[in-house]
DNA sequence: GCAGCGCATTGAAGCGCTTCAGGTCGAGAC
DNA sequence: GTCTCGACCTGAAGCGCTTCAATGCGCTGC
């Protein structure tokens, strides 16, 4: 490896260049960066001036390598097109900022291989800690298996066993319960639950809560639909399939396990002649996605406190990182979801503000 | 600095541990990682086995430091809650993946100081290159001033001067022209342009294109509104203000310089008694955001090829990075926007698929 | 039987920083 | 005048890798 000497590309200034220009030792320059209080004011000023003259940019790689630690944490997110994850990212970023650490994001875009690849990248980058959103047991198992355990790893949106990981998640069972209770309080009795694939643990939990509410009202869950995926297109198809039962008054309430699903259903149903929402059928979604308040008919939903999940996750990972050299008791924080009533279940909704 | 020896935390395995377990030298282990073809198959297998036994995770910091280069590129995004930027990120990621490099994201969340901070972080991390989305001249100036010029920096969504940077952007002037032309072809003559603050260059360009189309039809731009910001809430207010003129048939077409703006306007207008869209007033937005196809009345818009911007940006930054040791001619690629007709301007829209 | 060759491997010199044991110097204490 | 002490600063030893000149060594060719 030899220095690149092509014209106009004098090699980047290093700490040694700064030191000699300022007439001090490397150690002093380093102290200016890391322990300014140890350096006499006059010397410090001289060094800073030298840095500016050379437009010196410290090499973070060498810094972290030598110091044996970095102050960056990573967040691997399942899919940025779901606004829940953006909320989580925002929360994590704010917490990181308050703590004075940096946060880098990676978007798996719904692909498991990408998730694992980014996890590896973050681990190799020796980040102080890693945050990752998780969706199902199986997925958790595969991630947990490959976790070396050297970099603190905190699970978001998934209630991981405290024996191994910290995690921050939402009480999905309660959310499902709240949704069902709302429909029941509106007098709806002919309900449909639109769930999702078995592997999606949060969705299963929502279903459990829903059924519990039904039982408490002496009802059994009659109709349940389990689509392969839970995005808008699936909702659309389900909506089309439900148009008939709704028109025949066999169905008067729908709980969809995601807002995307609910938005698709609303889109399909609202376009169907003779079906009016919420009169003929009331619909509740889950997540409080953009999709919910942005829908033609704003959708009642169970709000996941995404920002809080992100914030708490970031706090947990930093606590764990700080305890690196000692024992650490993992904590799994479970947050409470909240019902947000909108037009899809109520003809007199609360005044709706945007944002 | 001394090794941490608390129980259960044997220090992480290093290349030396792998080497001695496999009975080879460090150099050979390194070759297994970086130049497998130089190592005899049998040796390679032995080394790989040793790595697995020690669950060895290479230290990326040391790797990049020693190699003098990293294969990660960074993308600083203005605001993830705008789906255009998610498209850009997706495009950049795909291109990066194809090229076998990694992509880390940072979300400035609309704050300039965050953008600069992340830019610095990426530069210190000695990423192979940096992509960043940019919105206005002033902003560009401040970023350009601080650019050290050592790490390739490509501007996205902003047509930067080729003398200094590569960039990938969209022809906003043409987009504005297309929008206006569409309204004019529909026979609308009493048009309103809803622009944005002076600093938003793209928005200014859209206005220029809009006015050019009007001139070509022998019209002058009579009504123009210039809100402070261009989000949904502003659109809502403008919509309320326009309800009256629309009801009095003084306005029959609106071109809003962003979909968020347009969505707000539609929301306000659609709620107004007696105003029907597109009969009374046709509305065109810009960006092809989620907000546009998700609106109560899907909004005709000018589609920005976000994925292409991201993809081309990633390609440009890699080209520039590859040319690090030689001269490099910056390129600024300008992409063509496309009109997407939806219900807000047409009573017989093309079949609308989701996603 | 020996020069010559190419393949597989080694060993040590860095990469740009942080850290820390020591060194220097001036001031205050006696 | 000497001793001590604290405030500053220096110098060199790593951090965990990559790289590359140098070293073996089993072959081929004559």
């Amino acid at each position: 490896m030899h220095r690149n000497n092509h014209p106009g590309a004098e090699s980047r200034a290093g700490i040694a260049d700064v030191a000699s220009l300022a007439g001090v030792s490397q150690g002093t320059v380093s102290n200016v960066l890391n322990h300014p209080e140890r350096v006499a004011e006059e010397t410090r000023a001289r060094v800073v001036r030298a840095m500016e003259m050379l437009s010196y940019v410290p090499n973070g790689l060498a810094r972290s390598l030598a110091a044996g630690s970095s102050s960056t944490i990573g967040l691997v997110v399942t899919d940025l097109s779901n606004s829940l994850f953006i909320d989580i990212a925002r929360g994590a970023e704010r917490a990181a900022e308050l703590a004075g650490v940096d946060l880098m994001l990676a978007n798996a875009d719904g692909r498991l291989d990408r998730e694992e690849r980014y996890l590896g990248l973050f681990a190799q980058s020796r980040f102080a800690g890693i945050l990752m959103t998780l969706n199902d047991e199986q997925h958790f198992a595969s991630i947990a298996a490959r976790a070396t355990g050297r970099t603190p790893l905190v699970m978001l949106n998934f209630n991981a066993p405290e024996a191994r990981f910290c995690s921050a998640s939402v009480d999905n069972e309660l959310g499902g319960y709240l949704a069902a209770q709302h429909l029941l309080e509106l007098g709806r009795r002919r309900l449909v639950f639109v769930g999702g694939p078995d592997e999606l643990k949060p969705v299963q939990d929502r279903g459990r809560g829903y059924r519990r509410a039904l039982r408490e009202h002496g009802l059994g869950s009659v109709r349940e639909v389990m689509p392969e995926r839970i995005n808008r297109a699936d909702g659309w198809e389900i909506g089309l399939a439900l148009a008939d039962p709704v028109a025949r008054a066999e169905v008067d309430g729908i709980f969809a396990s995601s807002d995307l699903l609910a938005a698709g259903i609303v889109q399909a149903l609202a376009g169907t002649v003779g079906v009016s929402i919420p009169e003929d059928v009331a619909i509740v979604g889950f997540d409080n996605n953009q999709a919910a308040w942005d829908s033609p008919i704003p959708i009642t939903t169970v709000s996941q406190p995404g920002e809080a999940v992100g914030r708490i996750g970031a706090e947990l990972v930093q606590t764990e990182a700080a305890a690196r050299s000692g024992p650490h008791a993992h904590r799994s924080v479970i947050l409470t979801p909240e019902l947000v009533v909108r037009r899809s279940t109520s003809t007199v909704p609360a005044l709706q503000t945007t944002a």
Side-chain angles (χ1 to χ4, degrees), chain A:
Chain A
M1 183 117 272
H2 88 124
R3 296 222 166 225
N4 164 9
N5 282 322
H6 94 87
E10 352 58 67
S11 35
R12 220 192 277 255
I15 206 174
D17 303 304
V18 175
S20 74
L21 178 60
V24 297
S25 75
Q26 282 197 28
T28 300
V29 176
S30 174
N31 280 334
V32 168
L33 249 31
N34 304 295
H35 309 279
E37 77 284 359
R38 292 188 193 161
V39 180
E41 177 52 28
E42 195 220 357
T43 314
R44 207 187 59 79
R46 198 150 28 95
V47 170
V48 168
R49 216 173 314 126
M51 287 178 170
E52 283 166 358
M53 299 192 66
L54 298 170
S55 53
Y56 168 67
V57 178
N59 184 326
L61 300 174
R63 243 140 84 86
S64 304
L65 178 60
S69 72
S70 112
S71 71
T72 302
I73 65 182
L75 166 57
V76 184
V77 139
T78 308
D79 182 6
L80 276 182
S81 42
N82 184 334
S83 70
L84 169 63
F85 295 118
I86 297 181
D87 288 343
I88 291 179
R90 205 194 313 274
E93 260 168 332
R94 285 219 216 292
E97 190 175 15
L98 280 178
V101 308
D102 295 297
L103 199 258
M104 291 200 195
L105 243 53
N107 178 20
D109 209 21
R111 283 171 39 193
L112 256 81
D113 59 319
R114 286 271 221 97
E115 230 160 61
E116 292 181 356
R117 175 168 177 176
Y118 279 126
L119 213 52
L121 176 63
F122 285 178
Q124 296 193 6
S125 302
R126 293 296 191 266
F127 281 177
I130 304 178
L131 256 31
M132 99 177 285
T133 62
L134 224 46
N135 303 303
D136 55 76
E137 289 284 7
Q138 181 187 342
H139 191 179
F140 168 73
S142 98
I143 296 294
R146 143 170 10 222
T148 65
R150 304 238 104 275
T151 305
L153 177 57
V154 171
M155 309 297 186
L156 300 184
N157 226 22
F158 182 88
N159 181 10
E162 275 184 335
R164 296 205 47 199
F165 298 99
C166 284
S167 66
S169 59
V170 173
D171 189 340
N172 282 288
E173 201 274 353
L174 175 59
Y177 182 86
L178 293 174
Q181 196 182 37
H182 176 61
L183 288 170
L184 292 166
E185 279 173 356
L186 291 172
R188 311 292 168 135
R189 289 295 178 276
R190 284 152 290 160
L191 305 185
V192 178
F193 172 58
V194 182
D198 281 345
E199 317 86 64
L200 287 183
K201 187 161 178 302
V203 169
Q204 299 308 316
D205 293 344
R206 292 167 201 177
R208 279 219 324 281
Y210 165 86
R211 287 184 211 101
R212 176 160 64 88
L214 260 59
R215 273 200 309 280
E216 290 183 3
H217 280 252
L219 298 172
S221 180
V222 186
R223 286 187 190 247
E224 303 206 351
V225 185
M226 295 292 157
E228 291 293 309
R229 301 205 43 175
I230 56 168
N231 56 37
R232 181 184 297 261
D234 301 298
W236 172 272
E237 284 176 23
I238 292 170
L240 292 182
L242 286 174
D244 207 43
V246 167
R248 289 207 299 266
E250 291 167 23
V251 167
D252 64 1
I254 300 174
F255 171 40
S257 57
S258 87
D259 282 338
L260 260 40
L261 219 40
I265 294 174
V266 165
Q267 221 169 322
L269 246 32
T272 306
V273 222
V275 170
S276 63
I277 301 171
E279 291 79 2
D280 298 330
V281 60
I283 301 177
V284 180
F286 207 108
D287 284 347
N288 199 13
N289 259 358
Q290 187 170 12
W293 51 265
D294 237 16
S295 161
I297 296 164
I299 299 171
T300 293
T301 193
V302 179
S303 167
Q304 299 217 50
E307 289 220 17
V309 168
R311 177 172 46 76
I312 291 174
E315 286 163 5
L316 288 172
V317 84
Q318 285 178 75
T319 307
E320 186 167 349
R324 225 47 219 127
S325 39
H328 169 74
H330 295 301
R331 295 210 310 133
S332 110
V333 178
I334 299 181
L335 301 166
T336 306
E338 205 173 306
L339 189 77
V340 178
V341 178
R342 299 207 182 92
R343 282 242 330 273
S344 73
T345 63
S346 164
T347 43
V348 281
L351 181 64
Q352 193 58 41
T353 56
T354 58

